[in-house]
Amino acid sequence: MRKKILLVDDDEAVLDYMQAKLGPHYDLVTTNAPDNVERLARKEKPDLIVCDVDMPEMDGGDVSAALYASEETRGIPVLFLTGLASPQDLKHARDQIGGRPAISKNAPANELLARIASLLN
């Protein structure tokens, strides 16, 4: 059975890119509304949430806190996606932002797929 990933980004172009790269491998649910993530996660029960860090209204940290506050969603792993840090910057931060796994939006697709696979296993 294919794993399900919830993609969260306020930029439709990023969601389109992620769908192109991840769609052949995973079932995807997308949203550009970060305030909708916890409700969507309860409904869709994804195996992983890939969430942009820098969004208006509600950033990745706020989304992560909302997910953690709910019994139903606190066990879902979150991978932060960021355009604010280069792949090299993240390597120096042990590939984490705020204690959560993170990957640069500029990372090669094979690195993104490997990172997701490691979080799903």
Side-chain angles (χ1 to χ4, degrees):
M1 194 163 102
R2 283 167 50 115
K3 299 279 188 176
K4 185 186 290 187
I5 298 176
L6 172 56
L7 299 172
V8 186
D9 200 302
D10 59 312
D11 186 339
E12 290 289 342
V14 172
L15 291 176
D16 290 346
Y17 172 81
M18 298 293 275
Q19 283 183 299
K21 297 299 174 201
L22 302 178
H25 309 279
Y26 301 102
D27 290 335
L28 302 175
V29 177
T30 64
T31 183
N32 62 0
D35 56 346
N36 197 22
V37 174
E38 192 220 339
R39 186 188 63 74
L40 249 181
R42 282 196 318 267
K43 178 181 171 234
E44 295 289 340
K45 304 197 179 343
D47 299 291
L48 175 69
I49 296 170
V50 177
C51 183
D52 185 18
V53 171
D54 186 33
M55 297 180 286
E57 290 112 45
M58 198 174 178
D59 67 20
D62 297 331
V63 170
S64 179
L67 290 165
Y68 190 77
S70 169
E71 285 283 328
E72 288 179 80
T73 57
R74 95 169 32 134
I76 302 170
V78 173
L79 174 63
F80 281 142
L81 188 63
T82 182
L84 301 175
S86 71
Q88 295 78 13
D89 292 339
L90 282 172
K91 290 276 180 255
H92 292 300
R94 294 194 169 98
D95 293 325
Q96 292 196 338
I97 294 175
R100 292 263 191 197
I103 192 161
S104 172
K105 288 182 180 180
N106 299 319
N110 62 335
E111 193 176 312
L112 174 66
L113 288 166
R115 197 69 197 278
I116 287 171
S118 74
L119 289 169
L120 289 172
N121 292 334

